[in-house]
Amino acid sequence: MIRLLLSLLLMIPVLLFAQSKEELVAQIKDKPTEIATIRLIQRAGGYDPDYKELKALFKGLDKKVRKSTEGKIFERYLDALKKSSVGKKAPGITQLDLRGEPYSLQDLKGKYVLVDFWASWCPPCRAENPNLVATYAEFKDKNFEILGVSLDREFGPWKKAIEDDKLTWKHISDLQYWNSGAAQTYGIKAIPQNVLVNPEGIIIAKNIHGEALKNKLREVLK
């Protein structure tokens, strides 16, 4: 209870100063010559950013801002979003599993694969895990797999969370936190996030959870 109260207290300043997407877009358009505006574009993208929308906002910035170091970094992020969008070939991922051996998304070719980006330290991820466990139990024998990609920093907590939450699918990580190579390749700035890949390696959905994920799997795994 104390932890919950502290969390709520910490959230109050964020809630008080939260801006709507419309307000953020207006601010972005009003300050095209400021490098800090790049961060506003990131915020406007929210949890599930739309590549085309962010690209249009970015193109509206002054050329000097777009060509700055921050601008070039943001362009790489936009490129990652584009390459990992629905309809695109899923970018390759190879990291170490719990045994310290390399494992790749490519190793699951021929199956429907949910690439799940999460971490042991992420409360929303841990809250979502029971839903994933139920989903896996229902579909694991129907050509469906999950590949857990962790943004953890330490091996111990990562392994313990997998055991505690009974996550019986394959798990990989480079233990680089937000510098995770896989997260950067997929433009991941918030977790939990996921992509659903078909047997041909094409992304067919992004960021679907709970019943929405089950319904999508029922649709494709007929």
Side-chain angles (χ1 to χ4, degrees), residues 72-108:
K72 291 176 181 177
I73 292 171
F74 192 75
E75 261 195 316
R76 288 198 293 271
Y77 164 66
L78 290 175
D79 187 56
L81 286 181
K82 180 181 180 180
K83 290 179 178 178
S84 61
S85 58
V86 172
K88 298 290 187 179
K89 186 84 170 179
I93 299 174
T94 301
Q95 294 187 349
L96 300 183
D97 64 14
L98 290 167
R99 296 176 298 179
E101 298 177 359
Y103 193 85
S104 301
L105 174 58
Q106 180 68 14
D107 293 330
L108 294 170

Side-chain angles (χ1 to χ4, degrees), residues 193-211:
Q193 289 204 28
N194 61 50
V195 296
L196 181 61
V197 181
N198 72 10
E200 291 73 42
I202 304 300
I203 297 172
I204 59 173
K206 290 186 72 171
N207 296 327
I208 50 175
H209 306 277
E211 282 304 310

Side-chain angles (χ1 to χ4, degrees), residues 20 31 104-105 112-113 118 137 144 146-147 151 166 172 197:
S20 69
K31 299 179 178 180
S104 301
L105 174 58
Y112 283 92
V113 182
W118 75 295
F144 170 71
I146 298 175
L147 179 62
L151 274 65
K166 298 178 173 60
I172 58 175
V197 181

